[in-house]
Amino acid sequence: MIADLEGKRDRLSGIIEALKQLKELGLPLAAIEGVMGGVPNVSIGTAIPRDAFFGMKIPDAARKYLSWGGRKITKPHPELCDALLEGGFQTSSANFREVVRSTLQSQSRFVKVGGQWGLRDWYGTHGTRRARRTTAPEDQAQSGSGKRGVCC
């Protein structure tokens, strides 16, 4: 029994070292999950601890989720919202997904990349964030009120 456990320990130590090297290279660990099938009781899943986002604000929880494992990832909006709730984010909103959408759109640290949420840190000025509408100074001067005029 001892020899069996020591053998498993040695295999796990080798796997851990290999995973550390892959992480340093920036490779997604989830991509090799299938290789792990032969190791009993070892999982590199995407399970989110039920208290991962407890007591956090939406931007902080979203940033933590998108930074999970130190990987550069983007996530579709529904998946991001579901992950926040799975991780214990507390809300009383009847339309949580819309609250998350409007919150992240108002935060400069988030970008939409290919229709998915990502972190501006990783994409710099790239991404497809919608520009906010503003009234040009010459339009304000013409209208005299500084308010947006009716168009067409």
Side-chain angles (χ1 to χ4, degrees):
M1 185 168 142
I2 293 173
D4 183 46
L5 290 173
E6 288 175 335
K8 287 179 182 179
R9 180 195 61 204
D10 294 339
R11 284 182 65 205
L12 288 173
S13 293
I15 291 169
I16 290 169
E17 287 306 313
L19 291 174
K20 286 179 181 178
Q21 290 175 5
L22 289 173
K23 184 178 177 184
E24 288 175 6
L25 293 172
L27 298 175
L29 298 180
I32 63 160
E33 188 172 2
V35 175
M36 303 305 288
V39 181
N41 300 320
V42 174
S43 170
I44 304 177
T46 56
I48 300 168
R50 64 181 179 178
D51 62 348
F53 310 118
F54 181 79
M56 297 179 83
K57 295 184 183 218
I58 290 172
D60 298 327
R63 180 176 187 77
K64 181 177 180 178
Y65 177 64
L66 292 172
S67 300
W68 211 267
R71 299 186 313 240
K72 179 178 175 179
I73 60 171
T74 58
K75 292 292 182 181
H77 186 71
E79 185 178 331
L80 173 69
C81 295
D82 292 347
L84 296 184
L85 293 173
E86 182 182 336
F89 188 88
Q90 296 178 318
T91 181
S92 58
S93 173
N95 195 352
F96 179 63
R97 288 185 178 182
E98 189 53 40
V99 171
V100 172
R101 182 184 322 280
S102 70
T103 301
L104 297 186
Q105 283 177 335
S106 70
Q107 297 279 316
S108 63
R109 57 184 160 164
F110 297 96
V111 294
K112 283 298 226 41
V113 179
Q116 298 187 2
W117 290 112
L119 295 175
R120 176 152 322 270
D121 296 354
W122 298 329
Y123 296 99
T125 57
H126 301 289
T128 57
R129 280 187 54 86
R130 287 186 280 178
R132 293 182 183 214
R133 289 185 164 182
T134 58
T135 305
E138 58 272 8
D139 291 342
Q140 288 179 355
Q142 287 177 356
S143 70
S145 66
K147 292 185 180 177
R148 218 173 184 177
V150 177
C151 176
C152 311

